[in-house]
Amino acid sequence: MKEILFLEPVFKEMVWGGNRLREFGYEIPSEQTGECWAISAHANGDDTIRSGRFEGKKLSELWAENLELFGNIGGDRFPLLIKIIDAKGDLSIQVHPDDAYAREHENGSYGKTECWYILDCDPEATIVIGHNAKDSKEVADMIHGERWGEFIREIPVKKGDFFQINPGCVHAIKGGTMILETQQNSDITYRVYDYGRLQNGKPRQLHVEQSIAVIKAPYVAEDAAARTITAKGDAAIEHLITCPYYSVDRIEVDGSVTLVQDKPFLNVSIYEGEGTIDGTPVRKGDHFILPAGYGAYELNGKLGLIVSSVE
Ligand code: ZN
């Protein structure tokens, strides 16, 4: 089918959120808007189709009723969730369970593997990835003893960096960072530490025991190897990751390029610039799905895109 499925994102206000999602042309609910659920069929933020034959439908409804759009891949829910995150403040230090733990302890939910492309950050920005405990016992000791300075592994970050966050990996985005996140369709987060902050006068709930149960130790840094860039037409295509849940590429266009959508479906997020896809105008902040069988598509203009698929 040759119809592009444009999505109307859902916005989430967060204690750590800001107002920079306006830079993407969005009407945001407040000055503490933390997340744009850009391509989502999750019950906590189910996007609506913006135009065309399926205008007004939820993405979850399309998944349930028109599985042919998604290559009939099976599975009981749309598998991925794409977000743009604006962290004005620090996010809590957190960890996600894998599928097996979430299925058993979180009412059949998926686990959460995620990855981040850094869209922008302050000059001296850092992020938290991993920890410094040597084994699971030391993880528990450091967390119970609130030895955060020793426990947390913090590294410098710059625009254009990319990180894969597997289940069991302690992580947090810090203030002044904007990312595009590609993740499994899951909303299960265990908060290890929240810097002692209060929300409406109370600390946000921590999940200390679940965190200790799922944190992998020792932390082993991901191999940063796999980023390769291929030239095609007026585009540079950078392969960011392939993991069991998704494959993610970044495409930079300056001119014209014809590419092929031959996956079950392709999620596309425009994070920079403006132009057209098959003659339809698109710009920074647009998110859409190219359905199964779409085939060749032509991009024109000056565009930065993050695309993802399930294989
Ligand atoms: Zn996370």
Side-chain angles (χ1 to χ4, degrees), residues 12 110 119 122 144 152 155 167 172 208 220 226 250 258 290 304 309:
K12 299 279 179 180
Y110 283 168
L119 295 172
D122 291 344
H144 286 138
I152 291 162
I155 59 171
V208 172
V220 180
R250 187 175 70 88
T258 298
L290 298 182
S309 61

Side-chain angles (χ1 to χ4, degrees), residues 112-128:
K112 189 161 157 190
T113 299
E114 65 190 39
C115 63
W116 304 340
Y117 179 75
I118 310 294
L119 295 172
D120 198 17
C121 61
D122 291 344
E124 302 294 307
T126 61
I127 51 167
V128 172

Side-chain angles (χ1 to χ4, degrees), residues 94 96 112 114 116 171 181 189:
Q94 52 188 258
H96 305 296
K112 189 161 157 190
E114 65 190 39
W116 304 340
H171 61 279
E181 180 175 74
T189 293

Side-chain angles (χ1 to χ4, degrees), residues 25-52:
Y26 303 136
E27 297 251 353
I28 53 174
S30 76
E31 305 301 305
Q32 282 84 44
T33 304
E35 300 189 349
C36 162
W37 289 29
I39 301 180
S40 168
H42 195 284
N44 296 349
D46 199 354
D47 290 349
T48 306
I49 307 300
R50 195 170 81 184
S51 54

Side-chain angles (χ1 to χ4, degrees), residues 27-285:
E27 297 251 353
I28 53 174
S30 76
E31 305 301 305
Q32 282 84 44
T33 304
E35 300 189 349
C36 162
W37 289 29
I39 301 180
S40 168
H42 195 284
N44 296 349
D46 199 354
D47 290 349
T48 306
I49 307 300
R50 195 170 81 184
S51 54
R53 184 150 68 103
F54 301 106
E55 184 177 346
K57 285 248 179 198
K58 297 290 186 193
L59 183 55
S60 66
E61 294 178 284
L62 271 198
W63 175 265
E65 297 162 13
N66 296 86
L67 200 50
E68 74 283 356
L69 296 171
F70 310 97
N72 294 305
I73 58 168
D76 61 353
R77 69 204 94 169
F78 185 78
L80 299 177
L81 175 47
I82 316 300
K83 296 179 184 173
I84 298 178
I85 297 181
D86 169 22
K88 185 176 185 206
D90 297 342
L91 272 73
S92 60
I93 311 283
Q94 52 188 258
V95 64
H96 305 296
D98 62 14
D99 284 343
Y101 189 93
R103 196 181 304 118
E104 186 179 338
H105 299 274
E106 300 291 349
N107 201 19
S109 172
Y110 283 168
K112 189 161 157 190
T113 299
E114 65 190 39
C115 63
W116 304 340
Y117 179 75
I118 310 294
L119 295 172
D120 198 17
C121 61
D122 291 344
E124 302 294 307
T126 61
I127 51 167
V128 172
I129 295 202
H131 61 76
N132 298 310
K134 64 180 186 297
D135 55 28
S136 297
K137 183 182 176 305
E138 197 170 58
V139 168
D141 289 348
M142 285 180 162
I143 290 175
H144 286 138
E146 304 192 3
R147 290 152 58 192
W148 306 117
E150 273 176 272
F151 179 63
I152 291 162
R153 177 178 177 270
E154 197 169 330
I155 59 171
V157 65
K158 60 181 190 311
K159 186 174 172 172
D161 281 354
F162 175 78
F163 299 95
Q164 169 81 348
I165 312 288
N166 288 318
C169 175
V170 174
H171 61 279
I173 304 159
K174 304 207 68 175
T177 311
M178 291 194 87
I179 68 168
L180 190 140
E181 180 175 74
T182 303
Q183 57 162 96
Q184 281 181 276
N185 182 5
S186 166
D187 201 19
I188 307 290
T189 293
Y190 297 142
R191 225 174 262 138
V192 185
Y193 174 54
D194 200 25
Y195 303 96
R197 288 182 293 198
L198 303 179
Q199 179 176 31
N200 305 322
K202 289 183 303 218
R204 293 196 292 173
Q205 192 194 353
L206 298 179
H207 313 90
V208 172
E209 293 317 314
Q210 293 99 320
S211 298
I212 291 171
V214 304
I215 291 171
K216 295 211 166 76
Y219 168 71
V220 180
E222 280 287 306
D223 194 355
R227 291 179 76 164
T228 55
I229 298 183
T230 315
K232 185 138 203 275
D234 297 325
I237 303 170
E238 181 178 31
H239 182 58
L240 296 172
I241 186 97
T242 298
C243 78
Y245 300 101
Y246 46 73
S247 179
V248 183
D249 292 296
R250 187 175 70 88
I251 304 174
E252 254 185 81
V253 185
D254 189 0
S256 173
V257 66
T258 298
L259 300 169
V260 177
Q261 180 345 49
D262 56 3
K263 311 287 187 189
F265 62 94
L266 189 72
N267 299 318
V268 183
S269 294
I270 300 187
Y271 69 87
E272 208 167 66
E274 56 188 313
T276 59
I277 176 165
D278 291 337
T280 300
V282 288
R283 52 150 289 156
K284 175 174 175 170

